Each structure stands twice: as C-alpha cells, then as structure tokens.
Amino acid sequence: ATDGSRCLHVRNAEAGVSEDRKTVCFNEDLQDSLRLFYVALTRAKFATFLLCKSQKKDTKGSYSTSPYQYFSSIEPLKTEPPECWEGPGAEQPATLSTVQTAAADSLALQRFPGNFRFESGWQTCSFTSLAPAHQGLPQLDTVTAADAATAPTGSPFPETAWKGDEPLEDDALDDGRTAETTEDFPAPEKNRPAIFLFPGGKRAGIAWHNFFEKLDFQTPPADLPVQIEKAMEQNALLGGNPAQRQEKSSAFGDMIAGVLQVPLDEQGRICLKDVPRADRLPELRFTYTLPQGLDSDKFSADLRSAGVRLPADWSRTYPPGCNLTGAIDLLFRHDGKFHILDWKTNFIGGDLVNFSAAGLELEMDRNCYKLQYVIYVLAFFQYLKQRLLENQQDLDLTEEQLYEKYLGSVFYLFVRGISWERYSRGGNPRQGIYQARPSYAVIKILNHYLGCVEFRQGGSSSAV
C-alpha cells in the first residue's frame, strides 16, 4: 500500500476488494515477476537467449507486458559499457580496458539473424498431458481383489476425455482430481477418519510432498511431533477449527509413523525408517527428447502386448522434437537394490475401504499410474547405466543383467490409507501400499519409443 505495508490478495474473493487494492496487488505481482526476470537474465555464464512469440501492437498502439515486446520496441538496440563503478566519490576511468570493452560487446542485445522460428510441433509436456482423464470404472463393491489382479488386457475403460496440455509437474493434478467423491468411490455413510479432514487438492499435496522430501526417515519417534507441528503450521494445514486441530495433528502423526515403520514389501523386509539420507535421492527430474515424435497407437499396442493395461481408445500423438518431462519423488537403495517411491495423497472417496488392494488397483488404472511408473523405471534405468559407465562398473554385464541386479520395486504410497495405529492392532498391513515391478521386456519396448533422456537432481543427496 502507499504506507509501505503489504496487501493480502485473496483469490476468488474479488467482491470485497476495491479497485485501488487490486491495482496495488497487481503492481506487487509485477514487481516480483520483474525481479525473477532480472535474475534469469543475469545468471548466465556465456549467453542468454530470450525467445518469445512475436506480437504486434494492440489497437491502442502500445505493446503488451511481454519482455520481448519491450526489447523489440527499442530502436535501435543500443549497447552501453557495463557500469562497474558506482557510489559516492567513485570515479570512472576515461577509457575502458580491452577486456571490459570485449565484455560490453559480448553482452550486446542482438536479434537473431534471419527468420528464427520454432518447429510448428515443438512442445514440452508431462505425464499429466500424456495420461487420459479419470475413467469410469465399476464401483469397488462389485470388483474383488482377484478380479482386479486378473482383469483382461482389453479395456475396462469407456470413452476418455483428454485434458489440455498444461505446464504442470506430474503430481500437480493427482490430488485435486480425486479430492471429491465419484461414482467409482462414493462417500462413506459413516464418519470419515480424521486423516480425511485434510482437504484434497494441489496445495495440500505439495505441502505433504515437501514434508516427506525434507524428513529424515531415521528421526527418533520422540522428535517427530515437533517437526510435524512446525510443518503443519507453516503450510496452514491445521485450519481454523479449534475442535479439529488436535484431531488432525494426531492423525497426521499416525500416518507419518505408519509410512516410516510399516513394511513396504510383502516380505516385510523394507521399512523407510531403515533408509539413511545417504541412500536417498529425492526429486530425480528427467526430460525425454522424442526426435521421432510419439504415436500412441503403436506405442500402446506394444505395451499392452507386454501386459501394461491402457485404455482401448487411448489416442495421443506428439510431433517430432517434442519433450516429455517428469520427476521421480524418491529413489532409495535397500539391500543393494534401488527402489522407486511415489507419494500419493489421493482422497479416493474418503473411505479406508478404497485403500485396499482392490481399491488401489482401480485407482492406479483410473489415473493411468501404471504407465507413469513404467516411464519412471525407464528414466532411472537410463540414469543408472550412465552412472555405472562413468564409474567403470559392471561393464561385463548385459543390460538385462544390470536390470535384474539393481532394479527393485516400485512403491506407490497412498498415504491417507496408511496408519501405524491400525497396523499395530493387526490391521491390513498392505493398506495404502501399492507395489509393482515391470519386466525388462516392458522397459525395452518403452525405450524404443522414448529415446534419450537428460537428468537434473532435485535433492541434496545421491544414492547412486
């Protein structure tokens, strides 16, 4: 505001916000955007390329707020020596040294020569745009665990509705899409457990993901409540209802204890509490380049032949030059093998019965998560081969032998369904835990289509 105080702009509350306040909020947002733009332009070591769509003046004769329009409106483009000397009493030398002059020339703002343009089909997408929207599936009480495990490789999916491409991370829509009850997972008649008092949606999902990423799995149980309370306060997860705060805090702590102490595998040998930070790699980000594009008709037919369930009418085509991005939530090492873990905060109707083996099978299918984890496994396997080659390790093994030696399981933890209290009382030990391991044949098929991949590590520790 004019007195220097900050204004809070609440989305979807426009009715009670004056025009003056809206202007102040807009200017503060613009100031923050300009700051980020400045940082982006000034952190390059060798060159900065600013690529934007060319756009003409609007009907009023002014340019839009695009940085490209601002720079392109400057005629002619000028280059000034860098201001290296500033402040009271500072004197600038009469001439610049050769090195300084060369630096000024190299920093000149220049247009691309000729008619520079992207290929018409160029785009970057994530799994969110690759996977179909929710599918209409039978209700849980009509599907047994055996049915879910032995479902035909045809299609239990009816017509699909495609989402438009959005620049979102893989999990950006996972939680919000399943936050409400659906025909597949109707709302329970009885009172929901306290873990479902936490709303679904992107904000809550991101907060939970961040908590797990920063959490030391070997934290003594007595120290966990303090960390949990701090994280919940910072992310405003407890809400403003005093009657629910303690109930929600206890439920969240019970879920964390279950995630750390309940065995993940069917043999009961893998617990996250036994995984030190040195054996963890969070947020392994990858980008596939698709020089030949991707035609889902042939792609999906080959995957189905290898046992991967996909919608029968799934149709998606990416042109040559497209990029496919993603991020593996957690890679961890246990007993010499590497395992992939994905955190899921899906609501699944708000009923614990939906977190059984049959319910998770449906949820995996309706979100096309099985395609997602195959993509993750291939990305990690490519990463593993690169690291082994750099270290001159296991050079005498074939790719399939490397896969069998190092690849463990894929775990999808639907954390709302995991509880240490229920497990301690003899409850279903697999509730909320989905485990799988794609065969090398499936990975080999996928590798044929996705091509080369680049990586960026988001965590501070490396397990490989």
Side-chain angles (χ1 to χ4, degrees), residues 9-30:
H9 176 57
V10 181
R11 292 184 179 180
N12 302 324
E14 302 290 347
V17 181
S18 68
E19 289 300 322
D20 290 341
R21 287 288 179 176
K22 289 181 181 179
T23 300
V24 170
C25 292
F26 173 80
N27 290 335
E28 288 186 350
D29 287 341
L30 180 59

Side-chain angles (χ1 to χ4, degrees), residues 113 195 200 261 342 350 360 401 412:
I195 196 66
Q261 298 182 70
D342 202 82
L360 296 187
Q401 289 172 332
Y412 272 52

Side-chain angles (χ1 to χ4, degrees), residues 92-306:
Q92 297 190 22
T95 59
L96 294 175
S97 69
T98 303
V99 174
Q100 291 163 346
T101 303
D105 292 338
S106 66
L107 292 174
L109 182 63
Q110 302 175 12
R111 297 179 189 272
F112 282 105
N115 184 21
F116 179 85
R117 56 178 297 179
F118 285 115
E119 294 294 332
S120 58
W122 185 90
Q123 60 179 311
T124 296
C125 62
S126 70
F127 173 78
T128 301
S129 64
L130 183 64
H134 275 175
Q135 317 300 327
L137 296 171
Q139 291 190 16
L140 183 59
D141 57 7
T142 66
V143 179
T144 66
D147 293 333
T150 61
T153 57
S155 175
F157 311 90
E159 303 241 345
T160 60
W162 283 98
K163 304 179 294 298
D165 289 345
E166 299 180 45
L168 299 172
E169 295 296 338
D170 292 347
D171 290 324
L173 294 178
D174 288 350
D175 313 301
R177 289 185 295 169
T178 52
E180 302 299 329
T181 58
T182 66
E183 294 181 358
D184 304 327
F185 299 109
E189 296 181 2
K190 58 183 179 297
N191 292 332
R192 288 173 171 169
I195 196 66
F196 297 107
L197 293 175
F198 293 97
K202 180 179 177 181
R203 185 178 67 84
I206 291 176
W208 291 29
H209 276 66
N210 289 341
F211 178 82
F212 285 119
E213 182 179 337
K214 297 175 182 178
L215 177 65
D216 183 351
F217 296 161
Q218 296 185 312
T219 299
D223 296 339
L224 280 175
V226 176
Q227 295 188 30
I228 293 173
E229 191 75 19
K230 182 179 179 181
M232 297 180 77
E233 291 289 352
Q234 288 177 340
N235 293 280
L237 293 178
L238 291 178
N241 187 339
Q244 291 184 356
R245 290 177 65 88
Q246 182 57 46
E247 191 176 8
K248 292 169 73 173
S249 180
S250 298
F252 195 86
D254 177 50
M255 179 269 291
I256 296 297
V259 167
L260 296 181
Q261 298 182 70
V262 172
L264 301 184
D265 59 324
E266 296 179 352
Q267 293 74 29
R269 295 177 300 187
I270 303 176
C271 291
L272 288 182
K273 66 180 179 62
D274 300 325
V275 180
R277 281 196 179 274
D279 287 337
R280 294 169 50 186
L281 180 60
E283 291 296 318
L284 177 61
R285 300 182 179 273
F286 58 86
T287 301
Y288 287 103
T289 58
L290 308 176
Q292 306 302 320
L294 182 64
D295 184 348
S296 63
D297 291 341
K298 183 70 168 64
F299 172 70
S300 59
D302 285 348
L303 286 179
R304 286 195 195 94
S305 68

Side-chain angles (χ1 to χ4, degrees), residues 337-384:
K337 289 187 178 291
F338 295 96
H339 305 271
I340 290 173
L341 187 149
D342 202 82
W343 309 109
K344 296 298 182 189
T345 59
N346 301 35
F347 216 75
I348 323 186
D351 193 342
L352 290 176
V353 70
N354 298 330
F355 291 80
S356 64
L360 296 187
E361 195 74 31
L362 288 178
E363 186 71 355
M364 293 293 292
D365 283 334
R366 71 201 296 266
N367 288 283
C368 221
Y369 287 155
K370 294 178 181 178
L371 174 60
Q372 184 185 48
Y373 73 63
V374 172
I375 293 174
Y376 285 175
V377 171
L378 175 60
F380 166 66
F381 189 48
Q382 298 279 35
Y383 175 68
L384 174 68

